[in-house]
Amino acid sequence: AGSPLRGHPSLTFRPMVAADLPRAGEIEAASYPADEAASPEQLEYRLRVAPELFYAVYEGDAIIGFTTATAADCDTLEHDTMSVHSPGGASICIHSVVVEASRRRRGIARAMLLDFIDSVV
């Protein structure tokens, strides 16, 4: 069901669902340089192993942005922490905070990140 995104009552913040991964991959690819964007396989892995750390923003049924993270056992971000999830890890490594290009500069990413923090802390 989700909840209204703070400051954006027409948008809904809720956990990501597998059916929306293809669109999430498109948004990711359009938001980062090719060598930094998560692959569809990486996004699928993050949803499969850490669904509690993968949230999206929707307008109606359409995904317009998302935030994804994994947990790590270390206190500092290292290269390996970007590709492995350690359930119950002490640190949360945020990998993506993205909003489709036509929706940027409206405070959606900021609101999404604040709602994400409230949901996982």
Side-chain angles (χ1 to χ4, degrees), residues 85-97:
H85 174 61
S86 298
S91 298
I92 294 175
C93 304
I94 297 174
H95 300 285
S96 298
V97 178

Side-chain angles (χ1 to χ4, degrees), residues 42 45-46 49-50 53 68-87 89-96:
Q42 288 170 312
Y45 170 80
R46 292 173 188 160
V49 302
L53 299 174
T68 183
T70 53
D73 287 324
C74 57
D75 291 334
T76 59
L77 182 63
E78 298 172 6
H79 188 275
D80 290 344
T81 61
M82 297 299 286
S83 59
V84 178
H85 174 61
S86 298
S91 298
I92 294 175
C93 304
I94 297 174
H95 300 285
S96 298

Side-chain angles (χ1 to χ4, degrees), residues 30-42:
S31 300
Y32 292 106
D35 64 335
E36 293 181 21
S39 68
E41 295 79 16
Q42 288 170 312

